[in-house]
Amino acid sequence: MKIFSNTSQQLLEQSLNAASLRQKTISQNIANVDTPNYKAKKTVFKHQLNRAIDDQRLTAYRTDSRHIPFGGTQSISPSVVVDRTKTMFNHNGNNVDIEHEMSEMAKNQIYYNAMIERLNGRFNSLKTVIGGGK
Amino acid sequence: MTIFHGFNTTASALTAQRLRMDVISSNMANVDTTRGRFVNGEWEPYRRKMVVVQPNENRFSSHLSKAMGRTDHPGNGVKVSRIVGDQTPFKLVYQPDHPDANDEGYVQLPNVDPLKEMVDMMSATRSYEANVTTLNATKNMLMKALEIGKG
């Protein structure tokens, strides 16, 4: 039984990193709300999180550093920033939808806080165990 | 990418929106200025100014992460690339007693449209407010992160 490097805790860490990156992306979009020809960016991480869970079931060894890592190892970048291109454009080529960005930000805040709560919950459980239930 | 990256992004936007507001103030203040610039021995009225903004991609970190093929770099906010003059013609008003009137009695007035400036001002205010909200949200996230393990 691994105390600090078990799957759920690593997933929590990765989701916190991703939520932090998403916050930066949303900041960038809102900062460029008036910039001509700016294309809104989006942080994608949920499906990669699912893939990471799937990968845990699979173990593989790399015999060469040039091989693509899969299974076992943690992916280095669990979230990616992509341009959002298939949305409506303003007259100046900017496609930042401020309502969408603000609601995404609200969602991201709640998500981030929930992850922190969960992480704290885990640490509290560990504390209880270490203290022998006292 | 540091922990304060989100702050820097939002701060650059706040600076840009503040500058937009300053330029709008300047336009509004000079709505009747007939002697804005001295060109070829003649006074030219004030020309309406506009702010040109662009994403701040010209930083080393942006180019480095692009060259390394990294896909997790959101960008470095926004910057004001330049302030340009509006090239629409000046307004001509018949005012023969004006000191800057020409031989036919017409005065050239600045090409500032107060209505347009008001709309721009509203836009700058709202963008500024949105960025302040973002700044507070980012701050709350970092403060929350400090609570990890305090239980």
Side-chain angles (χ1 to χ4, degrees), chain A:
Chain A
M1 168 76 194
K2 291 168 183 163
I3 294 180
F4 293 117
S5 62
N6 57 18
T7 316
S8 67
Q9 202 160 313
Q10 279 174 0
L11 280 178
L12 281 175
E13 276 176 33
Q14 286 193 357
S15 357
L16 276 175
N17 278 336
S20 168
L21 179 66
R22 170 173 271 196
Q23 177 68 18
K24 284 167 188 162
T25 314
I26 294 170
S27 302
Q28 171 77 355
N29 286 343
I30 294 176
N32 282 289
V33 70
D34 294 316
T35 310
N37 297 318
Y38 175 80
K39 298 290 176 278
K41 292 184 169 78
K42 188 182 181 184
T43 301
V44 189
F45 65 97
K46 282 233 172 72
H47 69 277
Q48 268 152 347
L49 206 62
N50 293 336
R51 205 176 63 194
I53 299 169
D54 290 343
D55 282 353
Q56 300 292 336
R57 300 195 195 109
L58 206 72
T59 50
Y61 293 101
R62 277 201 298 170
T63 51
D64 192 305
S65 59
R66 284 170 295 179
H67 290 169
I68 296 168
F70 68 99
T73 52
Q74 290 294 316
S75 70
I76 300 153
S77 171
S79 44
V80 289
V81 179
V82 292
D83 274 11
R84 207 190 303 127
T85 46
K86 284 177 187 159
T87 47
M88 196 175 64
F89 294 107
N90 288 337
H91 61 281
N92 59 356
N94 181 312
N95 69 342
V96 177
D97 181 352
I98 188 74
E99 284 86 10
H100 181 262
E101 297 300 334
M102 295 310 269
S103 58
E104 281 296 309
M105 192 169 69
K107 256 177 5 194
N108 194 40
Q109 299 284 298
I110 295 167
Y111 180 82
Y112 188 87
N113 286 350
M115 289 297 139
I116 298 263
E117 293 292 326
R118 202 53 236 117
L119 199 59
N120 279 334
R122 273 202 64 81
F123 284 136
N124 273 336
S125 309
L126 283 176
K127 217 186 228 170
T128 310
V129 171
I130 292 164
K134 275 187 275 183

Side-chain angles (χ1 to χ4, degrees), chain B residues 80-92:
Chain B
V80 176
S81 49
R82 61 187 193 280
I83 296 175
V84 294
D86 190 346
Q87 294 304 318
T88 51
F90 296 118
K91 279 182 284 187
L92 273 181

